[in-house]
Amino acid sequence: MLAQNTVPAVLPRHLAIIMDGNGRWAQARGLARSDGHRAGAENVRTIVTECRKLAIPYLTLYAFSTENWKRPQTEISVLFTLLSDFLRKELPLLQAQKIRLQTIGQIEELPFAQRTALSHALHVTKDNTAMTLNLALNYGGRSELVRAVRAIVHEGIEEEAITEECLAQHLYTAGQPDPDCVIRTSGEQRLSNYLLFQSAYSELIFSQAYWPDFDAAQLHMALEEYAGRKRRFGKTQEQVVSCVTD
Ligand code: IPE
Ligand code: IPE
Ligand code: MG
């Protein structure tokens, strides 16, 4: 077991997590899927607090995808109720830890109660600077790209001015660094429409733990794995090494 007191040598500036496995966590215990989602929501506090302690500046959590609307209506309702509960219960903690809450995704399509709770939490935390917590809600990478292209067309931007930077500036994450690391829990090894443009050079880490079991120790293990990765961005290993020693 890695000591949680030791901070990995290199930490991501932006960590993105696909919080997966609530249903299987519950199933393994003979519980209902809703119990898994409740345990998963509880775990958000643990991981947010640990990332804040580590001084990771940006944390993005995948909470509800554009594809998750395909789930039974009862399960969707449970997820949205948990979101409202989370916002109400955790807002003081976000404030105390000076965490700014942001959302990525089509928030306007969420139910009224959740939109209201979100806009309140966004407003209350807007001046916090210690960490940015992006909640990905009704988020899909493909729909984000379509939205960006539409905005670019709508603004009448010249063809030559449509660059990678221009596209990045029209994404929900405009102004934020790309995720250095994407962690997916529960053993699945896919992106499921998460941060498709932004994760072009992210290190991908897959944990076997179901999200409710992904605790601070598991996070540290994943971050140690990240710290051991050699990022090249298209260069040769020799170029990367000489760049570090220059
Ligand atoms: C992640 O857990 C939560 C959401 C996708 C909202 P799942 O509900 O996907 O859990 P599994 O994958 O069925 O175990
Ligand atoms: C991805 O998990 C979305 C979230 C964690 C919110 P899913 O469980 O929905 O992904 P798939 O369907 O297994 O790819
Ligand atoms: Mg899943």
Side-chain angles (χ1 to χ4, degrees):
M1 176 68 68
L2 285 156
Q4 275 177 54
N5 305 338
T6 56
V7 177
V10 187
L11 283 168
R13 253 183 98 201
H14 185 168
L15 173 65
I17 304 182
I18 303 175
M19 309 183 289
D20 197 14
N22 293 349
R24 279 163 286 163
W25 180 91
Q27 195 179 24
R29 286 163 177 74
L31 301 170
R33 289 182 65 84
S34 54
D35 295 317
H37 291 314
R38 200 161 299 114
E42 287 286 319
N43 197 43
V44 170
R45 184 196 316 130
T46 306
I47 295 304
V48 169
T49 304
E50 194 61 24
C51 287
R52 169 68 176 83
K53 233 190 264 173
L54 289 166
I56 292 173
Y58 295 90
L59 174 65
T60 301
L61 300 177
Y62 208 1
F64 192 86
S65 75
T66 47
E67 287 72 32
N68 287 147
W69 293 108
K70 295 174 191 162
R71 295 191 179 202
Q73 188 53 50
T74 46
E75 179 164 344
I76 294 172
S77 297
V78 166
L79 289 168
F80 287 147
T81 303
L82 286 168
L83 172 63
S84 305
D85 292 351
F86 173 84
L87 293 169
R88 196 185 56 250
K89 279 198 308 208
E90 306 301 342
L91 193 52
L93 196 78
L94 295 180
Q95 276 301 81
Q97 298 185 92
K98 298 190 170 46
I99 297 172
R100 179 179 189 184
L101 187 71
Q102 300 248 270
T103 57
I104 63 170
Q106 284 158 261
I107 300 307
E108 61 282 2
E109 290 177 3
L110 296 184
F112 179 74
Q114 282 68 33
R115 274 186 284 139
T116 311
L118 278 168
S119 64
H120 175 66
L122 260 51
H123 177 74
V124 168
T125 64
K126 72 178 178 4
D127 296 323
N128 293 340
T129 52
M131 177 171 118
T132 297
L133 170 62
N134 295 315
L135 281 187
L137 289 160
N138 192 18
Y139 174 85
R142 288 182 172 181
S143 94
E144 179 183 40
L145 285 166
V146 169
R147 179 180 167 276
V149 171
R150 284 186 182 160
I152 288 168
V153 170
H154 184 73
E155 288 166 33
I157 295 175
E158 294 290 322
E159 191 180 332
E160 303 72 45
I162 304 174
T163 58
E164 291 184 13
E165 290 70 30
C166 169
L167 195 49
Q169 278 162 18
H170 287 82
L171 300 177
Y172 293 115
T173 48
Q176 302 189 9
D178 286 337
D180 301 291
C181 177
V182 176
I183 298 173
R184 182 168 190 148
T185 61
S186 87
E188 304 300 339
Q189 302 194 351
R190 54 180 171 268
L191 283 174
S192 300
N193 209 5
Y194 197 37
L195 301 170
L196 297 183
F197 183 90
Q198 300 90 328
S199 66
Y201 264 100
S202 304
E203 294 298 325
L204 307 180
I205 309 253
F206 300 106
S207 165
Q208 292 301 317
Y210 294 138
W211 171 248
D213 289 333
F214 189 81
D215 57 12
Q218 296 278 341
L219 175 70
H220 277 254
M221 267 161 62
L223 291 173
E224 288 291 351
E225 189 177 336
Y226 168 76
R229 295 281 178 91
K230 290 185 172 61
R231 305 185 77 190
R232 292 189 186 164
F233 299 100
K235 297 177 188 167
T236 67
Q237 187 54 29
E238 291 70 29
Q239 284 175 304
V240 175
V241 171
S242 75
C243 188
V244 171
T245 51
D246 274 351

